[in-house]
Amino acid sequence: MGEVGQDARYGITNVMSMAGPTAAELQLTTALEELLRRHNLYEDEGEMRKRVQVLGKLNALAREFVKRASLTKPGFNEAKAITAGAKIFTFGSYRLGVHATGADIDTLLVAPRHIDRADFFVHMVDILREQPEVRELDPVPTAYVPIIKFEMDGIPIDLLFARLAMDSIPEDLQIEERHLKDIDEPTVRSLNGTRVASAILSLVPNVHNFRTTLRCIKLWAKKRGIYSNALGFLGGVAWALLTARVCQLYPNACPATLLARFFRVYVHWKTGDVTRGSNAQPVPVVLCHITEGTLNLGLKVKRPRARARSVGAERLQARGRR
């Protein structure tokens, strides 16, 4: 992708700099990419092809699952069950294009309205058990986002489920705002990963530079033990959002420059002091203006400022109880 023009605008503010890379910065970027390769953060062609093949198999199994589950429903014959359709979407590091060798693939199975989550944890689990290449099958229906974990041909897979208010799922389906209408809360949560990953990629000025920079940030965070939602640190999506915002601020910069700017930007970012009850208002990191959408979906819209104040109040209350 070429350089971004002077009249371009990314995110909710003006850019910090339109400067392109110098020869020295391009040299540093080459060195960064070599470092990433030494840490096995780029998969080889063989593993890349294997992932594509696994996703193809999983897509076929998803259609078989919907067919099998449809035949248990009133009014469905073989022909109608076949045309009901299903589709596999990816999200997370694989969808963002920053997965490492041996990483899992976050996937989402989208089914039509007559297939429910109970069907998913019965028929889909049965189908996966029948596959000789599937190992370590672990359904977790009670999770906050219900999930089936397994390995297929040695590739770890996390599989979520969502049913849309549609009679059938076309092969060319793309998740849009209108698909959020008339669906339940677990389905909304399941769809979030795919929607967020697609939005991030559409909001950065240069996807290649974003991916290289994010690989560096992920490596840095993991080496320092601060890459984990479960342990109270930032997870993959949060690091991706932070990186994407820096890419918006420096749209023509190369990864070496973006990496340096990442730390320069966030060391001075106005976070406020919510733990001590400071009046300073934190500035949320957002990639686009928050809107309620054009449809009346009745969904909760997260407000970063309100959430920051809420977290601060909760922490103050917790300290008061000690």
Side-chain angles (χ1 to χ4, degrees), residues 79-228:
K80 191 175 180 181
I82 291 174
T83 59
K87 185 171 181 179
I88 294 291
F89 290 86
T90 61
F91 60 99
S93 62
Y94 183 82
R95 175 70 181 90
L96 290 174
V98 295
H99 58 288
T101 298
D104 63 2
I105 305 179
D106 295 309
T107 58
L108 169 70
L109 191 161
V110 173
R113 71 172 86 236
H114 63 277
I115 305 297
D116 58 33
R117 196 163 284 102
D119 295 321
F120 178 65
F121 283 102
V122 173
H123 299 292
M124 190 63 193
V125 170
D126 287 345
I127 287 173
L128 290 171
R129 283 201 180 105
E130 295 165 6
Q131 310 309 309
E133 65 270 33
V134 170
R135 297 282 188 275
E136 307 295 331
L137 184 60
D138 182 21
V140 191
T142 58
Y144 180 68
V145 180
I147 189 172
I148 300 176
K149 294 175 172 285
F150 58 95
E151 286 188 5
M152 178 178 283
D153 281 340
I155 302 293
I157 303 286
D158 286 351
L159 181 62
L160 307 184
F161 172 82
R163 66 167 177 173
L164 302 184
M166 303 172 67
D167 293 329
S168 62
I169 303 299
E171 292 184 5
D172 60 351
L173 175 71
Q174 298 299 323
I175 303 298
E176 300 172 2
E177 180 189 337
R178 61 190 175 91
H179 294 128
L180 300 180
K181 193 170 181 63
D182 300 324
I183 60 176
D184 59 15
E185 190 66 27
T187 295
V188 173
R189 292 196 293 265
S190 296
L191 289 170
N192 277 345
T194 297
R195 296 176 60 234
V196 168
S198 297
I200 290 173
L201 292 175
S202 71
L203 291 168
V204 294
N206 186 305
V207 173
H208 174 77
N209 289 345
F210 162 72
R211 285 171 170 162
T212 303
T213 308
L214 181 55
R215 287 181 188 273
C216 294
I217 294 298
K218 285 162 63 81
L219 177 62
W220 169 83
K222 288 178 179 179
K223 289 291 185 181
R224 283 155 181 77
I226 56 173
Y227 186 98
S228 172

